[in-house]
Amino acid sequence: MIYSLYIINKAGGLVYQKDFTNQLEKLSSNEYLVLAGTFHGVHAITSKISPLHNSSGIEMLEAENFKLYCNQTLTGTKFLLITAPQQNNVDSYMKKIYDTYSDFVMKNPFHTPEMPIRSDQFDQSLLKFINTNGTA
């Protein structure tokens, strides 16, 4: 089960957030922004302290009640997927989400990069994908 999706720009700003379940506590707008900025900072630090050269930072964080998966693109945009703890291997979900993002956000001539995503087509396509795959 996929709980929610966050998209964070390369500067650490939250540009998109969507919950796919009612099981999550709603946060205030400011709390979502703080969460994104905090994760961005922790991700940057973990990529520096890794013993491996060119580490990508946090890729998966596991807690008792959820898992957080992070996919960072070459441009520095981060896609965070919050899932149920039993959810494994979300690579195919991340690929489809990124493809949807590319099609409806990045190819949109009216979208300004690094700014909040306001695209009904992106929202609808994302919801259709999540619902079709039985994860919501």
Side-chain angles (χ1 to χ4, degrees):
M1 174 182 269
I2 295 176
Y3 294 149
S4 60
L5 171 69
Y6 296 80
I7 301 176
I8 302 171
N9 67 20
K10 65 182 174 187
L14 183 66
V15 294
Y16 186 82
Q17 187 279 323
K18 186 70 148 183
D19 292 331
F20 302 108
T21 181
N22 294 330
Q23 295 177 346
L24 300 176
E25 181 178 332
K26 295 293 179 199
L27 302 177
S28 70
S29 297
N30 192 47
E31 289 171 322
Y32 283 120
L33 295 172
V34 168
L35 186 139
T38 301
F39 183 85
H40 176 75
V42 170
H43 188 272
I45 291 168
T46 58
S47 68
K48 299 283 189 229
I49 64 172
S50 172
L52 299 176
H53 184 62
N54 291 331
S55 171
S56 61
I58 295 174
E59 293 180 4
M60 197 263 292
L61 184 135
E62 188 171 357
E64 184 177 335
N65 298 317
F66 69 93
K67 285 184 182 175
L68 181 147
Y69 293 90
C70 177
N71 181 34
Q72 179 171 288
T73 67
L74 293 175
T75 61
T77 301
K78 293 173 198 64
F79 291 79
L80 304 181
L81 204 56
I82 313 294
T83 71
Q86 62 273 17
Q87 184 76 41
N88 292 315
N89 195 3
V90 297
D91 291 343
S92 62
Y93 295 118
M94 287 290 207
K95 181 180 179 347
K96 179 61 177 171
I97 290 167
Y98 182 74
D99 289 347
T100 304
Y101 169 80
S102 296
D103 288 343
F104 296 111
V105 177
M106 297 311 295
K107 292 178 184 175
N108 180 350
F110 301 106
H111 174 71
T112 305
E114 305 300 313
M115 296 305 289
I117 297 168
R118 307 266 186 257
S119 170
D120 290 337
Q121 288 180 312
F122 178 65
D123 282 335
Q124 291 167 3
S125 183
L126 194 58
L127 279 171
K128 181 179 177 185
F129 169 69
I130 297 297
N131 290 332
T132 302
N133 288 287
T135 55

PDB file of all heavy atoms in Angstrom, residues 61-93:
ATOM      1  N   LEU A  61      14.303   4.223   4.159  1.00  0.00           N
ATOM      2  CA  LEU A  61      14.287   4.368   5.606  1.00  0.00           C
ATOM      3  C   LEU A  61      13.136   3.502   6.109  1.00  0.00           C
ATOM      4  O   LEU A  61      12.010   3.645   5.636  1.00  0.00           O
ATOM      5  CB  LEU A  61      14.065   5.837   5.974  1.00  0.00           C
ATOM      6  CG  LEU A  61      14.120   6.173   7.445  1.00  0.00           C
ATOM      7  CD1 LEU A  61      14.958   7.415   7.638  1.00  0.00           C
ATOM      8  CD2 LEU A  61      12.734   6.381   7.999  1.00  0.00           C
ATOM      9  N   GLU A  62      13.438   2.600   7.030  1.00  0.00           N
ATOM     10  CA  GLU A  62      12.424   1.675   7.520  1.00  0.00           C
ATOM     11  C   GLU A  62      12.079   1.992   8.969  1.00  0.00           C
ATOM     12  O   GLU A  62      12.955   2.136   9.809  1.00  0.00           O
ATOM     13  CB  GLU A  62      12.945   0.242   7.409  1.00  0.00           C
ATOM     14  CG  GLU A  62      11.924  -0.803   7.698  1.00  0.00           C
ATOM     15  CD  GLU A  62      12.421  -2.208   7.369  1.00  0.00           C
ATOM     16  OE1 GLU A  62      13.541  -2.356   6.859  1.00  0.00           O
ATOM     17  OE2 GLU A  62      11.664  -3.150   7.635  1.00  0.00           O
ATOM     18  N   ALA A  63      10.791   2.133   9.227  1.00  0.00           N
ATOM     19  CA  ALA A  63      10.291   2.364  10.578  1.00  0.00           C
ATOM     20  C   ALA A  63       9.282   1.266  10.912  1.00  0.00           C
ATOM     21  O   ALA A  63       8.967   0.422  10.066  1.00  0.00           O
ATOM     22  CB  ALA A  63       9.630   3.740  10.666  1.00  0.00           C
ATOM     23  N   GLU A  64       8.789   1.281  12.110  1.00  0.00           N
ATOM     24  CA  GLU A  64       7.850   0.244  12.527  1.00  0.00           C
ATOM     25  C   GLU A  64       6.560   0.261  11.715  1.00  0.00           C
ATOM     26  O   GLU A  64       6.014  -0.782  11.358  1.00  0.00           O
ATOM     27  CB  GLU A  64       7.515   0.424  14.012  1.00  0.00           C
ATOM     28  CG  GLU A  64       6.621  -0.658  14.573  1.00  0.00           C
ATOM     29  CD  GLU A  64       6.363  -0.482  16.066  1.00  0.00           C
ATOM     30  OE1 GLU A  64       7.191   0.147  16.754  1.00  0.00           O
ATOM     31  OE2 GLU A  64       5.326  -0.968  16.529  1.00  0.00           O
ATOM     32  N   ASN A  65       6.060   1.468  11.388  1.00  0.00           N
ATOM     33  CA  ASN A  65       4.752   1.588  10.748  1.00  0.00           C
ATOM     34  C   ASN A  65       4.776   2.037   9.290  1.00  0.00           C
ATOM     35  O   ASN A  65       3.721   2.225   8.686  1.00  0.00           O
ATOM     36  CB  ASN A  65       3.873   2.549  11.551  1.00  0.00           C
ATOM     37  CG  ASN A  65       3.621   2.035  12.948  1.00  0.00           C
ATOM     38  OD1 ASN A  65       3.362   0.853  13.135  1.00  0.00           O
ATOM     39  ND2 ASN A  65       3.729   2.911  13.934  1.00  0.00           N
ATOM     40  N   PHE A  66       5.945   2.254   8.733  1.00  0.00           N
ATOM     41  CA  PHE A  66       6.036   2.683   7.338  1.00  0.00           C
ATOM     42  C   PHE A  66       7.448   2.475   6.814  1.00  0.00           C
ATOM     43  O   PHE A  66       8.381   2.253   7.578  1.00  0.00           O
ATOM     44  CB  PHE A  66       5.635   4.153   7.171  1.00  0.00           C
ATOM     45  CG  PHE A  66       6.623   5.121   7.773  1.00  0.00           C
ATOM     46  CD1 PHE A  66       7.643   5.660   6.994  1.00  0.00           C
ATOM     47  CD2 PHE A  66       6.527   5.514   9.103  1.00  0.00           C
ATOM     48  CE1 PHE A  66       8.553   6.550   7.535  1.00  0.00           C
ATOM     49  CE2 PHE A  66       7.429   6.403   9.654  1.00  0.00           C
ATOM     50  CZ  PHE A  66       8.444   6.923   8.867  1.00  0.00           C
ATOM     51  N   LYS A  67       7.575   2.568   5.492  1.00  0.00           N
ATOM     52  CA  LYS A  67       8.874   2.639   4.823  1.00  0.00           C
ATOM     53  C   LYS A  67       8.873   3.897   3.978  1.00  0.00           C
ATOM     54  O   LYS A  67       7.846   4.268   3.404  1.00  0.00           O
ATOM     55  CB  LYS A  67       9.121   1.431   3.916  1.00  0.00           C
ATOM     56  CG  LYS A  67       9.466   0.166   4.658  1.00  0.00           C
ATOM     57  CD  LYS A  67       9.791  -0.950   3.678  1.00  0.00           C
ATOM     58  CE  LYS A  67      10.093  -2.238   4.404  1.00  0.00           C
ATOM     59  NZ  LYS A  67      10.305  -3.364   3.447  1.00  0.00           N
ATOM     60  N   LEU A  68      10.017   4.545   3.900  1.00  0.00           N
ATOM     61  CA  LEU A  68      10.190   5.726   3.070  1.00  0.00           C
ATOM     62  C   LEU A  68      11.246   5.394   2.024  1.00  0.00           C
ATOM     63  O   LEU A  68      12.356   4.998   2.371  1.00  0.00           O
ATOM     64  CB  LEU A  68      10.645   6.911   3.918  1.00  0.00           C
ATOM     65  CG  LEU A  68      10.850   8.230   3.190  1.00  0.00           C
ATOM     66  CD1 LEU A  68      10.503   9.387   4.116  1.00  0.00           C
ATOM     67  CD2 LEU A  68      12.254   8.380   2.673  1.00  0.00           C
ATOM     68  N   TYR A  69      10.875   5.489   0.770  1.00  0.00           N
ATOM     69  CA  TYR A  69      11.797   5.257  -0.338  1.00  0.00           C
ATOM     70  C   TYR A  69      12.112   6.588  -0.992  1.00  0.00           C
ATOM     71  O   TYR A  69      11.224   7.413  -1.190  1.00  0.00           O
ATOM     72  CB  TYR A  69      11.171   4.331  -1.380  1.00  0.00           C
ATOM     73  CG  TYR A  69      10.958   2.924  -0.893  1.00  0.00           C
ATOM     74  CD1 TYR A  69       9.769   2.554  -0.286  1.00  0.00           C
ATOM     75  CD2 TYR A  69      11.946   1.957  -1.048  1.00  0.00           C
ATOM     76  CE1 TYR A  69       9.560   1.259   0.163  1.00  0.00           C
ATOM     77  CE2 TYR A  69      11.749   0.659  -0.600  1.00  0.00           C
ATOM     78  CZ  TYR A  69      10.562   0.313  -0.004  1.00  0.00           C
ATOM     79  OH  TYR A  69      10.364  -0.965   0.436  1.00  0.00           O
ATOM     80  N   CYS A  70      13.375   6.793  -1.332  1.00  0.00           N
ATOM     81  CA  CYS A  70      13.795   8.031  -1.986  1.00  0.00           C
ATOM     82  C   CYS A  70      14.491   7.701  -3.298  1.00  0.00           C
ATOM     83  O   CYS A  70      15.409   6.883  -3.339  1.00  0.00           O
ATOM     84  CB  CYS A  70      14.744   8.817  -1.092  1.00  0.00           C
ATOM     85  SG  CYS A  70      15.374  10.324  -1.872  1.00  0.00           S
ATOM     86  N   ASN A  71      14.042   8.358  -4.359  1.00  0.00           N
ATOM     87  CA  ASN A  71      14.702   8.255  -5.655  1.00  0.00           C
ATOM     88  C   ASN A  71      15.107   9.663  -6.064  1.00  0.00           C
ATOM     89  O   ASN A  71      14.255  10.519  -6.246  1.00  0.00           O
ATOM     90  CB  ASN A  71      13.756   7.642  -6.696  1.00  0.00           C
ATOM     91  CG  ASN A  71      14.414   7.503  -8.041  1.00  0.00           C
ATOM     92  OD1 ASN A  71      15.601   7.251  -8.141  1.00  0.00           O
ATOM     93  ND2 ASN A  71      13.628   7.673  -9.091  1.00  0.00           N
ATOM     94  N   GLN A  72      16.414   9.884  -6.167  1.00  0.00           N
ATOM     95  CA  GLN A  72      16.900  11.200  -6.581  1.00  0.00           C
ATOM     96  C   GLN A  72      17.291  11.141  -8.055  1.00  0.00           C
ATOM     97  O   GLN A  72      18.044  10.269  -8.473  1.00  0.00           O
ATOM     98  CB  GLN A  72      18.103  11.632  -5.752  1.00  0.00           C
ATOM     99  CG  GLN A  72      18.639  12.991  -6.167  1.00  0.00           C
ATOM    100  CD  GLN A  72      19.679  13.526  -5.223  1.00  0.00           C
ATOM    101  OE1 GLN A  72      19.354  13.925  -4.130  1.00  0.00           O
ATOM    102  NE2 GLN A  72      20.926  13.531  -5.649  1.00  0.00           N
ATOM    103  N   THR A  73      16.773  12.092  -8.835  1.00  0.00           N
ATOM    104  CA  THR A  73      17.084  12.138 -10.259  1.00  0.00           C
ATOM    105  C   THR A  73      18.444  12.801 -10.471  1.00  0.00           C
ATOM    106  O   THR A  73      19.018  13.370  -9.536  1.00  0.00           O
ATOM    107  CB  THR A  73      16.014  12.942 -11.029  1.00  0.00           C
ATOM    108  OG1 THR A  73      16.088  14.310 -10.622  1.00  0.00           O
ATOM    109  CG2 THR A  73      14.622  12.392 -10.770  1.00  0.00           C
ATOM    110  N   LEU A  74      18.931  12.771 -11.687  1.00  0.00           N
ATOM    111  CA  LEU A  74      20.208  13.407 -12.010  1.00  0.00           C
ATOM    112  C   LEU A  74      20.164  14.917 -11.834  1.00  0.00           C
ATOM    113  O   LEU A  74      21.194  15.553 -11.625  1.00  0.00           O
ATOM    114  CB  LEU A  74      20.621  13.055 -13.443  1.00  0.00           C
ATOM    115  CG  LEU A  74      20.957  11.578 -13.682  1.00  0.00           C
ATOM    116  CD1 LEU A  74      21.231  11.318 -15.160  1.00  0.00           C
ATOM    117  CD2 LEU A  74      22.133  11.147 -12.836  1.00  0.00           C
ATOM    118  N   THR A  75      18.964  15.496 -11.901  1.00  0.00           N
ATOM    119  CA  THR A  75      18.828  16.948 -11.723  1.00  0.00           C
ATOM    120  C   THR A  75      18.706  17.346 -10.254  1.00  0.00           C
ATOM    121  O   THR A  75      18.627  18.522  -9.939  1.00  0.00           O
ATOM    122  CB  THR A  75      17.596  17.482 -12.479  1.00  0.00           C
ATOM    123  OG1 THR A  75      16.422  16.863 -11.952  1.00  0.00           O
ATOM    124  CG2 THR A  75      17.709  17.225 -13.968  1.00  0.00           C
ATOM    125  N   GLY A  76      18.660  16.355  -9.339  1.00  0.00           N
ATOM    126  CA  GLY A  76      18.575  16.644  -7.913  1.00  0.00           C
ATOM    127  C   GLY A  76      17.170  16.620  -7.352  1.00  0.00           C
ATOM    128  O   GLY A  76      16.978  16.792  -6.148  1.00  0.00           O
ATOM    129  N   THR A  77      16.175  16.409  -8.182  1.00  0.00           N
ATOM    130  CA  THR A  77      14.797  16.291  -7.705  1.00  0.00           C
ATOM    131  C   THR A  77      14.649  14.962  -6.981  1.00  0.00           C
ATOM    132  O   THR A  77      15.132  13.939  -7.458  1.00  0.00           O
ATOM    133  CB  THR A  77      13.803  16.366  -8.880  1.00  0.00           C
ATOM    134  OG1 THR A  77      13.983  17.611  -9.553  1.00  0.00           O
ATOM    135  CG2 THR A  77      12.370  16.249  -8.405  1.00  0.00           C
ATOM    136  N   LYS A  78      13.999  14.998  -5.818  1.00  0.00           N
ATOM    137  CA  LYS A  78      13.802  13.786  -5.026  1.00  0.00           C
ATOM    138  C   LYS A  78      12.329  13.392  -5.021  1.00  0.00           C
ATOM    139  O   LYS A  78      11.463  14.227  -4.790  1.00  0.00           O
ATOM    140  CB  LYS A  78      14.267  14.003  -3.590  1.00  0.00           C
ATOM    141  CG  LYS A  78      15.748  14.188  -3.442  1.00  0.00           C
ATOM    142  CD  LYS A  78      16.085  14.557  -2.004  1.00  0.00           C
ATOM    143  CE  LYS A  78      17.459  15.165  -1.919  1.00  0.00           C
ATOM    144  NZ  LYS A  78      17.590  16.433  -2.627  1.00  0.00           N
ATOM    145  N   PHE A  79      12.087  12.122  -5.238  1.00  0.00           N
ATOM    146  CA  PHE A  79      10.749  11.546  -5.157  1.00  0.00           C
ATOM    147  C   PHE A  79      10.722  10.665  -3.916  1.00  0.00           C
ATOM    148  O   PHE A  79      11.473   9.688  -3.839  1.00  0.00           O
ATOM    149  CB  PHE A  79      10.441  10.710  -6.406  1.00  0.00           C
ATOM    150  CG  PHE A  79      10.273  11.525  -7.646  1.00  0.00           C
ATOM    151  CD1 PHE A  79      11.369  12.013  -8.337  1.00  0.00           C
ATOM    152  CD2 PHE A  79       9.001  11.819  -8.124  1.00  0.00           C
ATOM    153  CE1 PHE A  79      11.212  12.774  -9.474  1.00  0.00           C
ATOM    154  CE2 PHE A  79       8.836  12.583  -9.271  1.00  0.00           C
ATOM    155  CZ  PHE A  79       9.945  13.063  -9.940  1.00  0.00           C
ATOM    156  N   LEU A  80       9.891  11.039  -2.946  1.00  0.00           N
ATOM    157  CA  LEU A  80       9.762  10.256  -1.712  1.00  0.00           C
ATOM    158  C   LEU A  80       8.439   9.517  -1.746  1.00  0.00           C
ATOM    159  O   LEU A  80       7.388  10.129  -1.932  1.00  0.00           O
ATOM    160  CB  LEU A  80       9.782  11.163  -0.478  1.00  0.00           C
ATOM    161  CG  LEU A  80      10.973  12.084  -0.294  1.00  0.00           C
ATOM    162  CD1 LEU A  80      10.819  12.876   0.994  1.00  0.00           C
ATOM    163  CD2 LEU A  80      12.253  11.301  -0.281  1.00  0.00           C
ATOM    164  N   LEU A  81       8.499   8.235  -1.540  1.00  0.00           N
ATOM    165  CA  LEU A  81       7.309   7.401  -1.523  1.00  0.00           C
ATOM    166  C   LEU A  81       7.195   6.798  -0.134  1.00  0.00           C
ATOM    167  O   LEU A  81       8.109   6.118   0.323  1.00  0.00           O
ATOM    168  CB  LEU A  81       7.452   6.307  -2.585  1.00  0.00           C
ATOM    169  CG  LEU A  81       6.207   5.669  -3.143  1.00  0.00           C
ATOM    170  CD1 LEU A  81       5.262   6.708  -3.735  1.00  0.00           C
ATOM    171  CD2 LEU A  81       6.571   4.649  -4.198  1.00  0.00           C
ATOM    172  N   ILE A  82       6.085   7.079   0.548  1.00  0.00           N
ATOM    173  CA  ILE A  82       5.819   6.520   1.870  1.00  0.00           C
ATOM    174  C   ILE A  82       4.884   5.335   1.670  1.00  0.00           C
ATOM    175  O   ILE A  82       3.808   5.488   1.074  1.00  0.00           O
ATOM    176  CB  ILE A  82       5.156   7.551   2.817  1.00  0.00           C
ATOM    177  CG1 ILE A  82       5.874   8.904   2.784  1.00  0.00           C
ATOM    178  CG2 ILE A  82       5.028   6.996   4.224  1.00  0.00           C
ATOM    179  CD1 ILE A  82       7.261   8.914   3.325  1.00  0.00           C
ATOM    180  N   THR A  83       5.292   4.157   2.163  1.00  0.00           N
ATOM    181  CA  THR A  83       4.508   2.946   1.944  1.00  0.00           C
ATOM    182  C   THR A  83       4.265   2.203   3.250  1.00  0.00           C
ATOM    183  O   THR A  83       4.854   2.522   4.279  1.00  0.00           O
ATOM    184  CB  THR A  83       5.242   1.979   0.983  1.00  0.00           C
ATOM    185  OG1 THR A  83       6.370   1.413   1.659  1.00  0.00           O
ATOM    186  CG2 THR A  83       5.668   2.669  -0.293  1.00  0.00           C
ATOM    187  N   ALA A  84       3.434   1.187   3.170  1.00  0.00           N
ATOM    188  CA  ALA A  84       3.221   0.281   4.294  1.00  0.00           C
ATOM    189  C   ALA A  84       4.534  -0.457   4.560  1.00  0.00           C
ATOM    190  O   ALA A  84       5.345  -0.642   3.644  1.00  0.00           O
ATOM    191  CB  ALA A  84       2.110  -0.709   3.963  1.00  0.00           C
ATOM    192  N   PRO A  85       4.762  -0.899   5.797  1.00  0.00           N
ATOM    193  CA  PRO A  85       6.039  -1.548   6.126  1.00  0.00           C
ATOM    194  C   PRO A  85       6.289  -2.849   5.360  1.00  0.00           C
ATOM    195  O   PRO A  85       7.432  -3.219   5.136  1.00  0.00           O
ATOM    196  CB  PRO A  85       5.948  -1.798   7.627  1.00  0.00           C
ATOM    197  CG  PRO A  85       4.549  -1.563   8.018  1.00  0.00           C
ATOM    198  CD  PRO A  85       3.892  -0.761   6.952  1.00  0.00           C
ATOM    199  N   GLN A  86       5.256  -3.522   4.934  1.00  0.00           N
ATOM    200  CA  GLN A  86       5.434  -4.780   4.210  1.00  0.00           C
ATOM    201  C   GLN A  86       5.697  -4.575   2.714  1.00  0.00           C
ATOM    202  O   GLN A  86       5.995  -5.526   2.002  1.00  0.00           O
ATOM    203  CB  GLN A  86       4.253  -5.733   4.421  1.00  0.00           C
ATOM    204  CG  GLN A  86       2.932  -5.209   3.933  1.00  0.00           C
ATOM    205  CD  GLN A  86       2.182  -4.367   4.959  1.00  0.00           C
ATOM    206  OE1 GLN A  86       2.759  -3.900   5.932  1.00  0.00           O
ATOM    207  NE2 GLN A  86       0.901  -4.168   4.740  1.00  0.00           N
ATOM    208  N   GLN A  87       5.604  -3.341   2.237  1.00  0.00           N
ATOM    209  CA  GLN A  87       5.836  -3.037   0.815  1.00  0.00           C
ATOM    210  C   GLN A  87       7.318  -3.182   0.491  1.00  0.00           C
ATOM    211  O   GLN A  87       8.162  -2.598   1.146  1.00  0.00           O
ATOM    212  CB  GLN A  87       5.382  -1.616   0.496  1.00  0.00           C
ATOM    213  CG  GLN A  87       5.490  -1.222  -0.948  1.00  0.00           C
ATOM    214  CD  GLN A  87       4.394  -1.816  -1.788  1.00  0.00           C
ATOM    215  OE1 GLN A  87       3.252  -1.862  -1.360  1.00  0.00           O
ATOM    216  NE2 GLN A  87       4.736  -2.295  -2.964  1.00  0.00           N
ATOM    217  N   ASN A  88       7.621  -3.971  -0.518  1.00  0.00           N
ATOM    218  CA  ASN A  88       9.003  -4.169  -0.946  1.00  0.00           C
ATOM    219  C   ASN A  88       9.153  -3.800  -2.407  1.00  0.00           C
ATOM    220  O   ASN A  88       8.188  -3.825  -3.166  1.00  0.00           O
ATOM    221  CB  ASN A  88       9.432  -5.633  -0.750  1.00  0.00           C
ATOM    222  CG  ASN A  88       9.524  -5.998   0.707  1.00  0.00           C
ATOM    223  OD1 ASN A  88      10.075  -5.255   1.505  1.00  0.00           O
ATOM    224  ND2 ASN A  88       8.967  -7.139   1.069  1.00  0.00           N
ATOM    225  N   ASN A  89      10.371  -3.474  -2.788  1.00  0.00           N
ATOM    226  CA  ASN A  89      10.731  -3.216  -4.172  1.00  0.00           C
ATOM    227  C   ASN A  89       9.737  -2.306  -4.896  1.00  0.00           C
ATOM    228  O   ASN A  89       8.849  -2.766  -5.606  1.00  0.00           O
ATOM    229  CB  ASN A  89      10.898  -4.529  -4.937  1.00  0.00           C
ATOM    230  CG  ASN A  89      11.622  -4.312  -6.251  1.00  0.00           C
ATOM    231  OD1 ASN A  89      12.047  -3.208  -6.562  1.00  0.00           O
ATOM    232  ND2 ASN A  89      11.752  -5.368  -7.018  1.00  0.00           N
ATOM    233  N   VAL A  90       9.923  -1.030  -4.718  1.00  0.00           N
ATOM    234  CA  VAL A  90       9.034  -0.042  -5.333  1.00  0.00           C
ATOM    235  C   VAL A  90       9.628   0.548  -6.615  1.00  0.00           C
ATOM    236  O   VAL A  90       9.128   1.550  -7.113  1.00  0.00           O
ATOM    237  CB  VAL A  90       8.683   1.093  -4.341  1.00  0.00           C
ATOM    238  CG1 VAL A  90       7.933   0.557  -3.146  1.00  0.00           C
ATOM    239  CG2 VAL A  90       9.921   1.852  -3.925  1.00  0.00           C
ATOM    240  N   ASP A  91      10.649  -0.079  -7.154  1.00  0.00           N
ATOM    241  CA  ASP A  91      11.315   0.455  -8.346  1.00  0.00           C
ATOM    242  C   ASP A  91      10.353   0.670  -9.506  1.00  0.00           C
ATOM    243  O   ASP A  91      10.418   1.689 -10.192  1.00  0.00           O
ATOM    244  CB  ASP A  91      12.463  -0.461  -8.783  1.00  0.00           C
ATOM    245  CG  ASP A  91      13.621  -0.451  -7.806  1.00  0.00           C
ATOM    246  OD1 ASP A  91      13.701   0.480  -6.978  1.00  0.00           O
ATOM    247  OD2 ASP A  91      14.450  -1.379  -7.867  1.00  0.00           O
ATOM    248  N   SER A  92       9.462  -0.285  -9.745  1.00  0.00           N
ATOM    249  CA  SER A  92       8.515  -0.138 -10.863  1.00  0.00           C
ATOM    250  C   SER A  92       7.545   1.023 -10.606  1.00  0.00           C
ATOM    251  O   SER A  92       7.163   1.736 -11.534  1.00  0.00           O
ATOM    252  CB  SER A  92       7.745  -1.432 -11.104  1.00  0.00           C
ATOM    253  OG  SER A  92       6.984  -1.779  -9.976  1.00  0.00           O
ATOM    254  N   TYR A  93       7.152   1.227  -9.338  1.00  0.00           N
ATOM    255  CA  TYR A  93       6.276   2.354  -8.997  1.00  0.00           C
ATOM    256  C   TYR A  93       7.012   3.672  -9.215  1.00  0.00           C
ATOM    257  O   TYR A  93       6.460   4.616  -9.782  1.00  0.00           O
ATOM    258  CB  TYR A  93       5.807   2.276  -7.547  1.00  0.00           C
ATOM    259  CG  TYR A  93       4.930   1.088  -7.257  1.00  0.00           C
ATOM    260  CD1 TYR A  93       5.334   0.119  -6.347  1.00  0.00           C
ATOM    261  CD2 TYR A  93       3.701   0.929  -7.882  1.00  0.00           C
ATOM    262  CE1 TYR A  93       4.530  -0.979  -6.073  1.00  0.00           C
ATOM    263  CE2 TYR A  93       2.893  -0.161  -7.621  1.00  0.00           C
ATOM    264  CZ  TYR A  93       3.314  -1.115  -6.710  1.00  0.00           C
ATOM    265  OH  TYR A  93       2.528  -2.195  -6.457  1.00  0.00           O
TER     266      TYR A  93
END
